[in-house]
């Protein structure tokens, strides 16, 4: 499953005027090979009512069993493998629809790359809310003026976040300055990792000192700024090694490294093996 550059990016705005889409997949639909490995420019919220489904998200095979929720962030490479007697909802939502508090909770949840099983009462409430949201969306797509769509979407997102939250109390802490700075750093990192490589440059962009940025990020996430910078760079390199035919030199240049030798050393240090060995290992 290899593609030429660029890795496909699916644009939600090209499919929906609302920058929002809701889909239901029902029972035994095997979609392996129907949808190529790709990125989305939107958030993808997945709610499985029952059954079993499999997908791959950034090199990790995810199995969702029973009633559960899962989330895929913008930019993550993913594709579906199969549904087995599964009823599943998928909501594609543009970032502009999602409140900062919701985005914080969802990001903290999604980086774990694991499902959260939910209780039957939660599943029933979420299902009924999604059915109503889908009905409202269809009216809106049919040209019927409907002022309730944003409000109903907020209700569904709130229910989803309440399901996916761990006991980290993410939302109550969302307005604390360290959490805000960490969120700003992560957003800047995703947008700028090809150009900005040093903690000091990220700190300058956020108008704080490098020492303070490193302190709050480490306190909030358990890891220093340099760790997250390298993780973002190497994850993108892995994506390109696996899903494209680009040479290591081309990948290094794409990621902002004029010195391919330095990039190879960095990749080996972070990933534990050389770029070509990674490619050969995962293409066996």
């Amino acid at each position: 499953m290899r593609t030429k550059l660029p890795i496909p990016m699916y644009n939600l705005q090209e499919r929906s005027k609302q920058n929002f889409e809701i889909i239901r997949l029902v029972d035994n639909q095997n979609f392996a090979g129907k949808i190529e490995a790709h990125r989305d420019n939107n958030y993808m919220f997945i709610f499985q009512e029952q059954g079993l489904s499999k997908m791959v998200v950034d090199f990790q095979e995810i199995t969702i069993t029973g009633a559960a929720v899962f989330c895929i962030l913008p930019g993550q490479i993913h594709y579906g493998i199969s549904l087995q007697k599964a009823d599943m909802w998928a909501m594609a939502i543009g970032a502009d629809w999602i409140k900062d508090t919701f985005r914080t909770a969802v990001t903290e949840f999604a980086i774990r790359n694991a499902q959260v099983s939910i209780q039957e009462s939660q599943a029933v409430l979420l299902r009924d809310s999604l059915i109503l949201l889908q009905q409202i969306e269809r009216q809106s797509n049919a040209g019927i003026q409907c002022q309730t769509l944003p409000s109903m979407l907020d209700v569904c997102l709130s229910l989803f976040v309440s399901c996916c939250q761990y006991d980290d109390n993410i939302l109550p802490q969302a307005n604390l300055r360290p959490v805000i700075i960490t969120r700003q750093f992560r957003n800047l990192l995703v947008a700028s990792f090809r150009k900005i490589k040093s903690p000091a440059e990220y700190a300058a962009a956020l108008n704080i000192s490098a020492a303070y940025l490193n302190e709050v990020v480490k306190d909030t996430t358990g890891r220093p700024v340099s760790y997250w910078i390298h993780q973002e760079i190497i994850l993108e390199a892995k994506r390109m090694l696996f899903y494209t035919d680009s040479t290591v030199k081309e990948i290094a240049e794409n990621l902002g490294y004029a010195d391919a030798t330095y990039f190879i050393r960095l990749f080996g240090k972070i990933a534990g093996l050389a770029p070509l060995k990674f490619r050969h290992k995962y293409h066996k």
Side-chain angles (χ1 to χ4, degrees), residues 31-33 35 38 54-56 78-82:
F31 44 91
I35 302 178
H38 68 282
K54 292 184 179 182
M55 67 186 74
V56 171
H78 60 282
Y79 59 92
I81 299 176
S82 65

Side-chain angles (χ1 to χ4, degrees), residues 167-240:
D167 58 354
D168 294 336
N169 297 315
I170 295 168
L171 288 179
Q173 296 179 9
N175 292 322
L176 295 179
R177 180 166 169 77
V179 177
I180 292 172
I181 291 174
T182 299
R183 182 171 70 243
Q184 291 173 336
F185 161 67
R186 283 180 168 171
N187 290 339
L188 181 60
L189 175 61
V190 170
S192 307
F193 67 88
R194 286 182 170 83
K195 296 180 179 179
I196 304 178
K197 298 292 191 290
S198 73
E201 290 177 290
Y202 282 99
L206 296 172
N207 296 313
I208 57 178
S209 71
Y212 182 60
L213 176 61
N214 198 61
E215 177 186 341
V216 298
V217 170
K218 190 171 183 180
D219 286 347
T220 305
T221 69
R223 302 281 190 171
V225 171
S226 58
Y227 170 86
W228 294 111
I229 294 172
H230 290 151
Q231 289 299 308
E232 196 69 34
I233 292 167
I234 298 308
L235 175 57
E236 184 63 18
K238 288 178 177 179
R239 291 164 172 164
M240 296 180 72

